[in-house]
């Protein structure tokens, strides 16, 4: 299981510091290290799965991800939002369900969510709503980093 939170999300409505500092490296595929243990990740996935109301697959960019996050923040009037990376196929199945119609091969899930605690998603006890973006593994750096 390889799952890791990117960062707590700060909406344009709440923060002027919405830039990400990215430096490109020539790699063949992204690599993530788990920030918490397997049991904690299972708890997070079980918390996200029933609240995941949409899956976006196809042409995805940071502008679209930001717009969805801003929509969730406005809907629930909260600053508690995060992006959770789900990079293992088994974990994507846990998040999206065994009957998902989406092709999960060589994909990473970026699950945007709002919850009840302002801070890392591993501290949350409740997720209000989540939406997942399926991104090809080789396109993640293009989506997350601007030149």
């Amino acid at each position: 299981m390889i799952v890791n939170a990117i960062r707590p999300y700060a909406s344009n409505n709440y923060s002027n510091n919405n830039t990400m500092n990215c430096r490109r490296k020539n790699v063949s595929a992204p690599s993530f290290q788990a920030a918490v243990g397997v049991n904690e990740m299972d708890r997070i996935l079980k918390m996200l799965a029933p609240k995941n109301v949409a899956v976006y697959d196809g042409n995805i960019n940071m502008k679209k991800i930001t717009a969805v996050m801003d929509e969730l923040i406005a809907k629930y009037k909260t600053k508690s939002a995060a992006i959770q990376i789900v990079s293992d196929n088994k974990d994507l199945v846990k998040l999206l369900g065994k009957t998902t119609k989406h092709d999960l091969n060589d994909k990473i899930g970026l699950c945007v969510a709002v919850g009840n605690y302002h801070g890392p998603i591993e501290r949350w006890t409740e997720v209000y709503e989540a939406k997942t973006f399926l991104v090809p593994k080789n396109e993640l750096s293009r989506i997350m980093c601007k030149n």
Side-chain angles (χ1 to χ4, degrees):
M1 174 181 295
I2 306 173
V3 183
N4 190 22
I6 297 175
R7 62 183 168 90
Y9 178 87
S11 168
N12 294 342
N13 299 330
Y14 298 106
S15 172
N16 290 328
N17 184 14
N18 65 349
T19 59
M20 292 179 58
N21 294 322
C22 295
R23 295 181 187 204
R24 291 190 180 267
K25 295 180 182 178
N26 292 327
V27 295
S28 60
S31 169
F32 303 101
Q33 307 257 331
V36 296
V38 173
N39 291 338
E40 187 67 10
M41 284 301 129
D42 282 340
R43 184 188 74 80
I44 291 167
L45 290 172
K46 286 178 184 174
M47 191 171 49
L48 289 170
K51 301 296 182 164
N52 192 60
V53 298
V55 178
Y56 300 96
D57 195 0
N59 189 13
I60 297 167
N61 56 43
M62 242 356 247
K63 188 174 183 178
K64 186 172 185 176
I65 294 170
T66 301
V68 168
M69 186 63 78
D70 288 341
E71 172 192 325
L72 291 174
I73 288 170
K75 180 178 179 179
Y76 291 94
K77 296 175 179 39
T78 182
K79 293 183 184 180
S80 177
I83 300 174
Q84 184 73 30
I85 292 178
V86 183
S87 62
D88 186 77
N89 278 8
K90 292 176 186 174
D91 293 335
L92 279 173
V93 171
K94 289 178 187 177
L95 177 64
L96 303 177
K98 292 179 182 178
T99 60
T100 185
K101 62 183 178 187
H102 299 281
D103 178 19
L104 304 179
N105 290 328
D106 293 323
K107 300 272 179 95
I108 291 177
L110 298 177
C111 185
V112 296
V114 290
N116 67 333
Y117 184 81
H118 190 245
I121 198 167
E122 38 296 348
R123 293 186 184 172
W124 294 5
T125 57
E126 183 181 1
V127 172
Y128 302 148
E129 190 171 330
K131 296 183 179 187
T132 302
F133 293 86
L134 293 176
V135 179
K137 287 182 181 181
N138 59 357
E139 291 187 26
L140 183 63
S141 63
R142 178 193 59 81
I143 291 168
M144 300 304 293
C145 300
K146 296 178 182 176
N147 287 332

